Amino acid sequence: MTESTYRIQGATGDWEVVIGLEVHAQVTSQSKLFSGSATAFGAEPNSQVSLVDAAMPGMLPVPNRECIRQAVRTGMAINAQINKWSRFDRKNYFYADLPQGYQISQLYHPLVGEGSIEIVLDEKNPENSTKTIGIERIHVEQDAGKLMHDQHPTMSYVDLNRSGVALMEIVSRPDMRSPAEAGAYLTKLRTILRYVGSCDGNMDQGSMRADVNVSVRKPGEPFGTRTETKNVNSVRFVMQAIEHEANRQVDVLEGGGKIVQETRLFDPNTGSTRSMRSKEDAHDYRYFPDPDLLPLELDDAFLEDCLASLPELPDAKRHRYESDLDLSAYNAGVLTADVETARWFELLLAETAKAAGKQPAEVAKQASNWLISELFGALNKLGTSLDESPVTPEKGAELLSLIAKGTISGSAAKQVLEIMLETGDDAGVIVEREGLKQESDTGAIEAEVDKVLAANADKVEQYKAGKEALFGFFVGQTMKAMKGKGNPQVVNEILKAKLAS
Amino acid sequence: MTDLTELGVAAIRDGVANGTFTAVEVAEAFNANVAAAQQALNAFIVATPEAAIEAAKATDAKRAAGEALGKMGGVPIGMKDLFATKGVQTTAASHMLEGFKPEYESTVSQKLWDAGAGMLGKLNLDQFAMGSSNETSYFGNVISPWRRNDGGNAALAPGGSSGGSSAALAARLCPAATGTDTGGSIRQPAAFTGTTGIKPTYGRCSRWGIVAFASSLDQAGPMARSVQDCAIMLEAMAGFDPKDSTSLDMAVPAWEAGLSADMKGKKVGIPREYRVDGLDADVAKSWDDGIAWLKDAGAEIVEISLPHTKYALPTYYIIAPAEASSNLARYDGVRYGLRDLPDGANLQDMYAATRAAGFGAEVKRRIMIGTYVLSAGFYDAYYTQAQKVRTLISHDFKNAFTECDVILAPTAPSAAFGLGENVDDPLKMYLNDVFAVPASLAGLPAMSVPAGLNAEGLPLGLQVIGKPFDEQGVLNAGLAIEQRAGFTAKPEKWW
């Protein structure tokens, strides 16, 4: 476990920052938490609203089993306690985006209890930079609708498409001590959710957003009073909000002031937070058990099914890549950071191994290096990403096998990849068309080498007399004669042999 | 020709089925009574004579085609205006929902239409089912067809909240009506009007499409003029509904076929705590009559104890308002129903103005009580405590039912009172439900059957409370009482 050295340097000395996150993650499901309405993002306003979502008189909620299943699987993925008996409570408050006048949530008996997540603070050195962040609970609740203030000069409109969509509220312990830790936590949580498939993690679409609790203290002292900055919707913003809020609190405290427990808003344009409402103005939510719903009781068969449906999770995968595939910690970390990357890599690996007739472990290094340094680099240059890549794992494997067989050189492979990304054509087709095949036939190369050595007999003498730097000259002359298509390895070997004789 | 409006559910169903009369004739007869009584009794908020005729025609056509007519085939009924009816104004007797026409049909009303019933109209009730005298309706008081035998013309309460239902039944405006019972709203009005009604076990009837008052207590049930009619109609109303999470996933028994007034081998419990000081003498006497009748039917009478009875009413008046305060939050002027938007008003102003104008005084009182008992700092002292007491009350019944099969008690502490007599004293009004509320809190089936008239010539009801899911036992004890009480009194027509 690493201790954070992150400190805010105040006039009175160093301050430590204490951070806890409440992450709202939209559950991936076809329909809402308590109704059959669809949940697609970006639909026409009010096109995904049932009578229940609009809270028409006499309408009743019926729990969607899939949403519960996803939350349970998420809990299992963070090694959390799953509560076989939980209950829904009503959180009462009035707002125009909340049709029922209450949100159905879980205050007293959440579905998921204590768990934890391991974060890595230095990808190059994961073994010595891990930290465990405690998770207090995950509960399931309804999302609210959305107010639209730009549709009419004097009125606000309400879009209820989101009303009733299932959210998981994932509440961490106040275990983070720096913006970087909070960023790593959020990133790791997103990774896990995407592996599990319980949330798509699209922060720009609001599928994941965080309430950020921040306080400061002198190291070793008890926790200070915290503020809560609501609805921050990117990792970068969360880190900015923490940095700003921690500095603000230090300024207030060192100026002789007190921190007020309050709710704050983050302004992405300025990177700062401002007060929304203080504790005195806080709502009294009048939580009580929802009498429309029976307690949620889960049986063993359901839990077993949830557990059996979990995929290999990122930490396990990373360790397996290191131990079984002998990948570097860094490579293993990069490849497992996103479920799609890992899936892509595993397909590439399987195809490459098949083409080479080898075990995956034998080609893993080649495949991972190519993916990370070649394909990622090329995609980056094009400003695109793996999921939009015209190069599929199958096509990538073909290219790798051409390299492995010595059909093309490393530099030709870069060229082939560029053309593949442009045209989507297969590597073999491109190699033929562009004439990029390299000559590995020893006879042909020997003939060329003999010619070069014969034409440069003086230099051969000098070489043999000890001027070994001339070796590069011979290689260059041979390659030149072969128009760059000679297999450099074979050329080297033959040259060495001939010059030694 | 017989006056068709004197007939009950079974007689109409059988008469239509065997061709003694047509369903349209029945509907027309009740339509006429509804229209003639509206001015005087105000039992309906909306009459739907066309709907009644249309359903009757469908039944007659089915009969002509030799098809099955359904459990309620040809029976026109009144629908308490708490049930959402598609395309027909549904108000819960509140200004808040005046003009609201749902796009959906409640599960219970749909089941009744599917069983061949037709709708005479939407019956008046206490606003949002909150009241015991039908005096909280935005659409005016319902006047009971009953009058005291003192020669005076004092307008009497038909009970509440299903006061439109009970008045319409007693005045022969319908042979049966739906009711809902949260803390006695079927049983007390039935007792006040010499009619019969049963609140089944919580969960028997789907709550989907019924305007919610207190979700953990609300339960629909039939009101009619005989035990058999209640059994028939309850069969049509009950059944599992996947749209209501609290709905019971159990088969609906054949209650009508199972009716038996033979109480041999049955034990009837008499709860000692219900014999309160100052119990009305006529009520006490009718209770004794009930005991004698059930003994006569072969039952053994045992004294039982329900020790937490005295806490039932205060418990109810914490839990029901708490749930109501939350259930009624949706009436905010944003999406449907009343919107009061004063000039320059912001959202908060609109909420305040809409809810001030839309809700009646009793509804506001209960919202405030409910909001208070759920607030931070009071929640444990009131709501949590009330839930604990509710559990104790359930245990009382559970223990009692180890010694008896059904419980017999009065339905209400008095006969119908005059309109206006209790309106200024909510506590006195609430006391009307003192005998009805315990069974509601425990979710038990309970019914009221007429026992006779008091000294003023007004009906008194007896209450039978049963074990969970044992509607049959309740109906059978009710039948035994009905057969011996020989209650044939009806209000003299003055309207």
Side-chain angles (χ1 to χ4, degrees), chain A residues 178-411:
Chain A
S178 69
E181 289 186 7
Y185 167 79
L186 204 53
T187 306
K188 184 62 176 284
L189 179 59
R190 184 174 176 276
T191 297
I192 293 171
L193 292 173
R194 285 172 53 81
Y195 266 74
V196 171
S198 58
C199 170
D200 64 24
N202 292 333
M203 296 193 81
D204 51 343
Q205 293 182 358
S207 299
M208 217 178 134
R209 44 197 202 262
D211 296 344
V212 186
N213 289 286
V214 175
S215 65
V216 296
R217 64 174 175 186
K218 288 284 173 66
E221 286 185 2
F223 288 153
T225 304
R226 68 188 162 85
T227 64
E228 181 180 22
T229 304
K230 286 275 191 193
N231 274 331
V232 189
N233 67 354
S234 85
V235 174
R236 190 165 57 91
F237 291 160
V238 165
M239 293 167 68
Q240 271 181 18
I242 293 166
E243 199 173 348
H244 177 273
E245 184 54 20
N247 279 291
R248 186 192 69 84
Q249 290 185 12
V250 168
D251 289 349
V252 168
L253 291 170
E254 292 193 333
K258 268 190 172 169
I259 300 303
V260 193
Q261 190 179 335
E262 62 180 353
T263 304
R264 299 181 67 85
L265 279 178
F266 177 72
D267 181 349
N269 297 318
T270 60
S272 63
T273 68
R274 64 186 155 82
S275 182
M276 190 164 114
R277 58 171 183 261
S278 72
K279 194 186 176 188
E280 285 72 39
D281 303 325
H283 292 121
D284 179 353
Y285 291 117
R286 309 188 310 281
Y287 280 98
F288 77 110
D290 191 324
D292 282 332
L293 294 161
L294 299 175
L296 201 55
E297 292 179 77
L298 307 178
D299 58 32
D300 291 333
F302 179 80
L303 296 181
E304 280 161 23
D305 171 65
C306 288
L307 191 60
S309 74
L310 281 184
E312 184 183 30
L313 292 164
D315 286 349
K317 206 181 268 295
R318 181 160 59 85
H319 293 138
R320 181 168 64 83
Y321 283 6
E322 287 181 58
S323 59
D324 293 9
L325 302 181
D326 201 23
L327 299 187
S328 68
Y330 175 77
N331 274 11
V334 171
L335 292 175
T336 55
D338 185 83
V339 67
E340 288 307 324
T341 308
R343 198 170 291 153
W344 212 102
F345 170 68
E346 288 182 12
L347 278 173
L348 174 74
L349 190 60
E351 291 291 328
T352 306
K354 198 168 78 181
K358 291 181 176 174
Q359 289 302 307
E362 296 175 81
V363 296
K365 272 195 179 158
Q366 187 205 2
S368 69
N369 284 335
W370 175 78
L371 179 56
I372 291 170
S373 38
E374 301 297 331
L375 185 58
F376 279 176
L379 289 172
N380 238 346
K381 243 190 256 170
L382 294 172
T384 180
S385 60
L386 198 56
D387 53 338
E388 288 164 354
S389 167
V391 176
T392 61
E394 293 77 11
K395 290 181 189 224
E398 187 194 351
L399 177 59
L400 284 177
S401 109
L402 290 174
I403 301 169
K405 281 187 206 147
T407 311
I408 53 173
S409 65
S411 59

Side-chain angles (χ1 to χ4, degrees), chain B residues 139-158:
Chain B
F139 300 96
N141 298 342
V142 175
I143 315 296
S144 173
W146 289 89
R147 283 177 169 176
R148 292 188 180 111
N149 57 11
D150 57 5
N153 292 335
L156 300 182

Side-chain angles (χ1 to χ4, degrees), chain B residues 362-374:
Chain B
E362 182 61 26
V363 174
K364 286 176 192 162
R365 173 166 24 243
R366 297 201 196 187
I367 289 175
M368 284 190 283
I369 293 170
T371 303
Y372 178 81
V373 300
L374 291 177

Side-chain angles (χ1 to χ4, degrees), chain A residues 33-34 61-65 67-68 71 85-91 103-111 139-142 166-167 287-298, chain B residues 245 379 383:
Chain A
L33 181 53
F34 295 112
V62 177
N64 176 348
R65 210 174 161 77
C67 298
I68 306 303
W85 192 97
S86 68
R87 202 172 61 183
F88 289 103
D89 301 301
R90 290 186 184 176
K91 177 181 181 179
Q103 176 195 33
I104 305 179
S105 180
Q106 295 188 304
L107 176 69
Y108 297 108
H109 298 277
L111 182 58
H139 65 255
V140 182
E141 64 186 22
Q142 296 175 301
L167 302 176
Y287 280 98
F288 77 110
D290 191 324
D292 282 332
L293 294 161
L294 299 175
L296 201 55
E297 292 179 77
L298 307 178
Chain B
S245 306
Y379 178 80
Y383 187 81

Side-chain angles (χ1 to χ4, degrees), chain A residues 51 54-63 90 92 94-96 99-100 102 108 284 286-289 291-292 294, chain B residues 100 104 207-210 215 242-246 323 326-327 329-331 335-336 351 355 371 374-376 379 383:
Chain A
L51 297 167
M56 300 301 278
M59 292 300 99
L60 298 171
V62 177
R90 290 186 184 176
N92 295 283
F94 284 94
Y95 202 56
Q100 295 169 134
Y102 53 84
Y108 297 108
D284 179 353
R286 309 188 310 281
Y287 280 98
F288 77 110
D292 282 332
L294 299 175
Chain B
F100 173 67
Y104 48 95
R207 293 184 296 113
W208 194 88
I210 302 175
S215 310
K243 291 187 287 188
D244 174 0
S245 306
T246 61
E323 294 182 11
S326 177
N327 281 337
R330 65 188 55 199
Y331 307 107
R335 297 167 314 286
Y336 52 79
Y351 287 150
R355 291 166 67 82
T371 303
L374 291 177
S375 344
Y379 178 80
Y383 187 81

Side-chain angles (χ1 to χ4, degrees), chain A residues 118-138:
Chain A
E118 216 167 72
I119 58 170
V120 171
L121 296 161
D122 178 3
E123 287 299 343
K124 306 258 179 200
N125 183 14
E127 296 313 318
N128 297 310
S129 70
T130 59
K131 180 171 176 175
T132 302
I133 307 298
I135 289 181
E136 186 186 314
R137 60 190 278 158
I138 301 178

